[in-house]
């Protein structure tokens, strides 16, 4: 009788929130920092990012797609393809006003991205898209998002707080959260890349990341979560869009339960590969035939057989 009563009490405490139980739901947090150069990574202090990626994979030689500007690259990250395939070749792209046609489109006319596949193949998944640069969402079909949060005036701290709330609310569902900030890029434009203000912007982002990770650990939502750290380009000196190595080398990292601990790697990598890694984490099938990204073969602890053709 005592055992049964104890079990009932424990269940009631869990439901009321007094006892935290580790969630077993599959979870991915994609942290995006715009304009984060490899040179900036090597110069700034970012202890929270360092601790996060220590158990996974870090590349400081990942190549953006060309042109090395924002919208084409974030689209490539999430769509497994380059501008020549998805058709987003500048920051002014709109669904009803663009020049280059995509090789493939969904019913609404958008190039098929990884969020579409997640919604179609992962039962019950929740997808959040949190951002602070208005044009970023233009290449995304918003019907695949369960929650969208746009923070005005290029601020980002409220979105980081909302990110925790979103992950906590959906702790028992498979969840993918895209959490993006443009403030690092603006620091480069306003004060020059590698200026003290630019380095400070990176370090402030690291502090916000650290606060989020600490809360996830307290809520027992950290250990079973995959994390990606991605960006779009570097800069030289106030701008970007060219082909200098400063613009064309960026940090890229992934960690989590399904990721091998490789540390710093130097294999060839592209922003186009991000969506393939996400597909591997969730074991997605039937990827778009026009995706040109690849899945670096040593990243996942066990490569899904259905993604064998995408392995490099």
């Amino acid at each position: 009788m005592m055992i049964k009563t104890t079990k009932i009490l424990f269940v009631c405490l869990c439901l009321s929130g007094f006892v935290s139980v580790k969630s077993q739901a599959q979870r991915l947090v994609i942290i995006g920092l715009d304009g984060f150069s490899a040179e900036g990574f090597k110069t700034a202090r970012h202890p929270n990012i360092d601790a996060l990626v220590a158990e996974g994979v870090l590349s400081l030689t990942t190549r953006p797609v060309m042109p090395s500007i924002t919208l084409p690259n974030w689209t490539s990250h999430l769509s497994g393809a380059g501008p020549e395939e998805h058709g987003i070749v500048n920051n002014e792209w709109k669904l009803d006003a663009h020049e280059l046609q995509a090789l493939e489109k969904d019913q609404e006319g958008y190039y098929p991205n990884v969020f579409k596949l997640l919604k179609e193949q992962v039962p019950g998944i929740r997808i959040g898209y949190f951002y602070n640069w208005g044009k970023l969402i233009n290449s995304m079909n918003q019907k695949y998002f369960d929650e969208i949060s746009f923070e005005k005036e290029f601020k980002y701290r409220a979105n980081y707080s909302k990110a925790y709330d979103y992950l906590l609310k959906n702790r028992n569902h498979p969840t993918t959260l895209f959490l993006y900030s443009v403030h690092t890029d603006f620091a480069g434009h306003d004060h020059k890349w590698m200026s003290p203000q630019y380095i400070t912007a990176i370090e402030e982002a690291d502090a916000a990341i650290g606060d989020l990770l600490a809360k996830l650990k307290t809520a027992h939502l950290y250990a079973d979560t995959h994390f990606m750290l991605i960006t779009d380009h570097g800069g030289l000196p106030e701008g970007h869009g060219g082909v200098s190595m400063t613009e064309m080398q960026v940090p890229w990292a992934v960690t989590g339960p399904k990721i091998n601990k490789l540390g710093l790697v130097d294999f060839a990598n592209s922003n186009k590969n991000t969506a393939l890694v996400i597909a591997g984490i969730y074991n997605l099938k039937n990827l778009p035939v026009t995706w040109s990204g690849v899945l670096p073969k040593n990243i996942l602890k066990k490569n899904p057989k259905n993604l064998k053709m995408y392995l490099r």
Side-chain angles (χ1 to χ4, degrees):
M1 182 68 178
M2 179 64 70
I3 294 175
K4 184 176 181 180
T5 303
T6 302
K7 287 183 177 179
I8 293 173
L9 177 61
F10 179 74
V11 171
C12 291
L13 287 171
C14 291
L15 293 174
S16 63
F18 287 105
V19 177
S20 294
V21 179
K22 181 179 177 182
S23 169
Q24 297 299 319
Q26 199 164 22
R27 195 176 301 105
L28 169 65
V29 178
I30 306 167
I31 300 172
L33 296 178
D34 203 294
F36 188 10
S37 68
E39 189 177 7
F41 185 98
K42 294 173 183 177
T43 303
R45 292 171 296 179
H46 34 69
N48 297 297
I49 292 175
D50 292 341
L52 175 65
V53 304
E55 298 299 316
V57 179
L58 170 65
S59 165
L60 295 178
T61 55
T62 293
R63 294 280 179 98
V65 300
M66 295 191 295
S68 56
I69 56 177
T70 299
L71 196 58
N73 268 281
W74 291 104
T75 304
S76 291
H77 270 304
L78 302 171
S79 300
E84 64 275 18
E85 287 119 8
H86 57 58
I88 290 85
V89 298
N90 55 51
N91 287 339
E92 306 308 316
W93 187 96
K94 292 183 179 179
L95 186 64
D96 59 352
H98 59 271
E99 184 175 4
L100 182 63
Q101 296 298 316
L103 291 180
E104 189 175 355
K105 298 178 182 179
D106 66 13
Q107 290 183 342
E108 287 73 31
Y110 293 90
Y111 188 79
N113 61 40
V114 72
F115 299 123
K116 176 180 184 292
L117 301 183
L118 289 170
K119 271 298 182 183
E120 292 174 344
Q121 299 185 35
V122 183
I125 194 168
R126 304 294 194 265
I127 299 177
Y129 191 93
F130 294 8
Y131 69 115
N132 62 352
W133 182 63
K135 295 179 181 180
L136 192 73
I137 204 168
N138 286 350
S139 64
M140 300 287 112
N141 189 337
Q142 297 183 37
K143 79 174 187 180
Y144 303 118
F145 302 139
D146 297 286
E147 185 166 327
I148 296 172
S149 178
F150 175 67
E151 190 165 354
K152 297 179 180 179
E153 299 177 350
F154 314 115
K155 297 178 180 179
Y156 63 97
R157 293 189 180 275
N159 266 348
Y160 270 74
S161 180
K162 287 182 180 180
Y164 169 72
D165 295 338
Y166 187 73
L167 294 167
L168 186 64
K169 177 178 66 176
N170 293 296
R171 66 180 303 147
N172 295 318
H173 298 275
T175 306
T176 291
L177 175 63
F178 178 70
L179 179 61
Y180 162 96
S181 178
V182 74
H183 79 283
T184 37
D185 179 75
F186 281 6
H189 284 292
D190 293 343
H191 304 285
K192 297 185 179 182
W193 264 259
M194 301 308 296
S195 66
Q197 294 89 341
Y198 173 71
I199 298 302
T200 295
I202 295 172
E203 294 177 351
E204 289 174 344
D206 180 74
I209 291 169
D211 290 343
L212 173 61
L213 299 182
K215 289 193 289 187
L216 292 177
K217 289 176 181 177
T218 299
H220 302 284
L221 294 176
Y222 178 85
D224 55 345
T225 299
H226 290 87
F227 296 91
M228 300 193 82
L229 175 70
I230 57 176
T231 186
D232 50 351
H233 55 74
L236 181 73
E238 299 100 342
H240 54 85
V243 296
S244 70
M245 292 304 294
T246 303
E247 295 161 283
M248 293 293 296
Q249 281 193 328
V250 296
W252 182 98
V254 59
T255 187
K258 292 186 178 181
I259 304 300
N260 281 316
K261 183 179 177 180
L262 302 180
L264 183 64
V265 298
D266 62 358
F267 55 64
N269 193 37
S270 166
N271 282 353
K272 294 190 296 183
N273 299 346
T274 300
L276 273 295
V277 177
I278 298 172
I281 289 172
Y282 284 96
N283 195 20
L284 301 179
K285 300 175 174 62
N286 302 319
L287 305 188
V289 296
T290 59
W291 279 19
S292 57
V294 297
L295 177 63
K297 63 181 179 181
N298 294 324
I299 285 185
L300 294 175
K301 291 180 178 178
K302 185 177 181 182
N303 291 311
K305 292 181 179 179
N306 55 283
L307 295 180
K308 187 176 180 181
M309 65 177 291
Y310 294 95
L311 290 174
R312 181 183 52 231

